[in-house]
Amino acid sequence: MQNELNALEINKTWSLVDLPPNKRVIGCKWIYKIKYKSDGSIKKYKAIYLTDTRFLASKPVPTSIVITAKLCQNDSPPYNDPAYYRRLVGKLLYLTNSRPGISFEVQQLSQFMAQPTTNHHKALTRVLRYIKGNPGQGLFYLVSSSLQLKAFNDLDWTACVDSRKSISGCCVFLGNSLVSWKSKKHTTVVRSSSKAEYRALASSSCET
């Protein structure tokens, strides 16, 4: 297996599946071939993704979220096209399979699928503009790496403005390769920050 991996060409193009040209998956045009590069980029997919969302010509931004901004229910007038908002969030959920860096932002946006507001849509468009400015990011797994398992977690106590529930994040590495990640809001309100930290640590331990 090791020899087979070493024999792979970095810029080789791989066929994925034979589908009709108009076939779509969760609203995105299907890609027949993807060119893998040494940095793990999948720029061809990102370009078509942004074309479908009508953000290909948008102005890029350096970050995917404004740190000081806190999203909450009824923080602005309702967005006039909630179905379009839901479609975009669904595409971003799919994109987190290769872009873990936007997992927290997508977790935040997915809380307001029922009644999105203009502020929620503004935050959503910022994520898309961030993707526009960073099209080549993704996961890259080295052929040879150590088998040391490492896990990291963090917690934002009472981060949700509406429910006062905490939000925790976890990522697990096998060697230098990221193999598991998640950003999740807790199901209960915890009155102690220490107790919330222990809950986040227990969740990370189970994932490991």
Side-chain angles (χ1 to χ4, degrees):
M1 183 63 181
Q2 186 69 34
N3 293 334
E4 292 178 359
L5 291 174
N6 290 332
L8 294 179
E9 297 177 7
I10 292 298
N11 289 325
K12 186 173 181 180
T13 300
W14 301 85
S15 296
L16 296 182
V17 65
D18 187 13
L19 292 174
N22 60 348
K23 181 67 176 180
R24 288 173 176 265
V25 178
I26 61 166
C28 297
K29 293 180 180 177
W30 190 264
I31 308 305
Y32 290 95
K33 294 182 178 180
I34 294 178
K35 178 173 281 190
Y36 290 89
K37 299 181 179 180
S38 57
D39 61 353
S41 64
I42 46 177
K43 294 183 180 179
K44 186 177 181 182
Y45 173 78
K46 297 300 189 308
I48 293 183
Y49 175 84
L50 290 170
T51 301
D52 276 4
T53 57
R54 300 177 298 204
F55 275 83
L56 188 60
S58 61
K59 183 178 179 180
V61 291
T63 60
S64 59
I65 192 173
V66 178
I67 302 299
T68 57
K70 289 284 188 178
L71 298 179
C72 60
Q73 293 282 5
N74 305 320
D75 58 356
S76 59
Y79 182 56
N80 57 6
D81 192 357
Y84 178 63
Y85 177 91
R86 297 183 192 110
R87 286 196 300 271
L88 291 183
V89 174
K91 293 179 181 183
L92 288 177
L93 283 169
Y94 182 76
L95 199 57
T96 56
N97 290 324
S98 61
R99 295 288 296 266
I102 61 173
S103 295
F104 173 76
E105 292 84 343
V106 176
Q107 180 268 331
Q108 290 284 288
L109 295 170
S110 61
Q111 298 180 82
F112 310 105
M113 302 281 266
Q115 295 178 331
T117 66
T118 54
N119 279 350
H120 303 153
H121 180 257
K122 183 178 179 180
L124 174 60
T125 58
R126 185 177 180 88
V127 177
L128 293 172
R129 292 167 60 197
Y130 169 74
I131 296 173
K132 169 67 177 354
N134 301 269
Q137 292 187 359
L139 294 173
F140 180 64
Y141 297 100
L142 298 174
V143 173
S144 58
S145 180
S146 66
L147 295 180
Q148 182 183 12
L149 196 63
K150 297 175 290 185
F152 304 89
N153 70 47
D154 196 8
L155 176 90
D156 192 356
W157 184 44
T158 66
C160 180
V161 178
D162 297 310
S163 64
R164 309 311 300 174
K165 295 179 180 179
S166 304
I167 299 175
S168 62
C170 170
C171 58
V172 181
F173 289 84
L174 183 61
N176 295 322
S177 301
L178 182 64
V179 295
S180 178
W181 61 92
K182 67 178 178 179
S183 177
K184 184 178 181 181
K185 183 167 67 174
H186 291 192
T187 56
T188 58
V189 178
V190 181
R191 292 179 293 176
S192 167
S193 60
S194 299
K195 187 175 181 179
E197 293 282 1
Y198 277 117
R199 284 178 177 269
L201 182 61
S203 177
S204 301
S205 301
C206 293
E207 184 69 19
T208 305

